Amino acid sequence: MYKTTEIASSEIPSDNPVHQRLLFPYQHVSSLVGGNVLEIGCGTGRGVAVLADKVSAYTGVDKNTELMQSLSAQYPDFKFIDMFLPPLQDLPDNHFDFVITFQVIEHIENDAFFLQEAARVLKPGGKLYLTTVNRDFSLSRNPWHVREYLANELGDLMKKYFSEVIMQGVHGNQKVMDYYEANKKSVKKITRFDIFNLQYRLPRTWLQVPYDIANRLSRLSISKSSNDLVNSIQVDDYFLSDKPAESLDFFYTGIK
């Protein structure tokens, strides 16, 4: 299986700040969810370990046969489905107490249908917890993303399918922002050679492997020059903000 930098690993030291950033939403919702939970885009199972003892039933869906088989073996009491999204094929209406989907919607071609399906499978009054990157904090084009959003763009889209949308963000303390600034400088060193702005002109699928190589080199470079900073960032260096437009990621709650 090709290992894209879109999947930050807890086992790669240079990935640590990204891993902790992705872990934070799971830690946050672990005190909020219960009952029957669906995770759309469960990936490597980063969240399953956090949520396992908080829920009575868990269903994880993702388009990766190998990962779904591996997670099924690790968590035999939970259900994992290999599924191309959307739709949420064969999942019943009004069935789940909570739906969580972290850093997924930016990969989905039909984002409106994606949200419609998430709302469909929720029980009345159920909640969707969703995160995605804030376009204002992106340092370059990410060719793995179909699109990225501004705060109100995502909020307006979600309001079409949920009766209430709570707009918050995931941000970081000074250590996190020091890492962000180091990353920005590192990315600029690479993109300065893109004098024809090819990152925005070429088809995104052409750029995925070069992007991953550059992204990995950037993370390794920062780790080499600022190893203490990279290693020191932990999940509690991130926090929930009521200013999503000023946050690294959006954390939005949709209530059916």
Side-chain angles (χ1 to χ4, degrees):
M1 181 180 63
Y2 175 62
K3 294 186 177 180
T4 168
T5 53
E6 282 295 281
I7 303 175
S9 173
S10 60
E11 299 175 359
I12 300 175
S14 60
D15 279 2
N16 180 60
V18 182
H19 166 67
Q20 301 296 340
R21 175 173 164 182
L22 298 177
L23 184 62
F24 171 82
Y26 289 108
Q27 296 281 18
H28 178 70
V29 302
S30 67
S31 63
L32 303 177
V33 302
N36 191 6
V37 174
L38 169 69
E39 181 173 8
I40 306 174
C42 59
T44 60
R46 177 184 280 108
V48 187
V50 178
L51 302 176
D53 62 350
K54 308 292 184 180
V55 303
S56 58
Y58 172 98
T59 300
V61 301
D62 212 323
K63 182 55 182 173
N64 190 309
T65 304
E66 182 183 340
L67 281 177
M68 296 305 96
Q69 291 174 344
S70 175
L71 288 169
S72 294
Q74 287 180 255
Y75 300 94
D77 293 333
F78 294 160
K79 182 185 293 185
F80 297 91
I81 306 171
D82 180 22
M83 182 187 299
F84 186 83
L85 303 166
L88 293 170
Q89 188 73 33
D90 298 326
L91 294 184
D93 298 355
N94 306 310
H95 184 68
F96 295 97
D97 298 297
F98 296 91
V99 173
I100 61 176
T101 182
F102 295 153
Q103 306 296 332
V104 175
I105 193 171
E106 65 271 18
H107 299 276
I108 303 297
E109 290 282 354
N110 193 338
D111 53 352
F113 187 33
F114 177 81
L115 291 171
Q116 182 181 358
E117 282 287 274
R120 176 183 67 80
V121 301
L122 271 173
K123 295 177 181 177
K127 293 181 179 179
L128 167 74
Y129 294 118
L130 178 151
T131 69
T132 189
V133 295
N134 179 355
R135 191 169 80 217
D136 273 346
F137 279 83
S138 292
L139 301 178
S140 67
R141 180 190 183 188
N142 185 330
W144 293 98
H145 295 174
V146 175
R147 82 195 61 73
E148 295 176 353
Y149 304 87
L150 299 178
N152 288 333
E153 290 175 343
L154 180 59
D156 290 344
L157 182 62
M158 288 184 63
K159 287 172 185 176
K160 295 179 180 179
Y161 304 100
F162 295 90
S163 63
E164 182 181 353
V165 176
I166 301 169
M167 298 166 57
Q168 297 171 294
V170 176
H171 206 47
N173 62 15
Q174 190 59 52
K175 280 198 298 184
V176 170
M177 298 316 294
D178 286 346
Y179 175 81
Y180 175 82
E181 290 300 325
N183 197 21
K184 181 188 290 187
K185 291 179 182 177
S186 181
V187 169
K188 282 184 177 179
K189 288 180 181 178
I190 297 171
T191 57
R192 65 181 174 172
F193 297 108
D194 185 15
I195 58 175
F196 297 110
N197 209 25
L198 295 179
Q199 65 170 312
Y200 294 102
R201 294 184 176 186
L202 293 175
R204 64 185 185 86
T205 54
W206 294 13
L207 298 168
Q208 288 169 346
V209 172
Y211 171 87
D212 272 343
I213 294 170
N215 204 13
R216 177 60 62 206
L217 290 173
S218 178
R219 291 181 189 178
L220 289 170
S221 174
I222 300 168
S223 182
K224 186 176 181 179
S225 62
S226 306
N227 190 55
D228 289 344
L229 173 62
V230 169
N231 290 337
S232 70
I233 292 174
Q234 297 299 315
V235 68
D236 57 5
D237 290 311
Y238 295 90
F239 58 88
L240 206 62
S241 167
D242 289 327
K243 298 179 179 179
E246 300 174 19
S247 300
L248 295 167
D249 297 323
F250 302 132
F251 184 100
Y252 285 10
T253 304
I255 304 174
K256 184 171 178 178

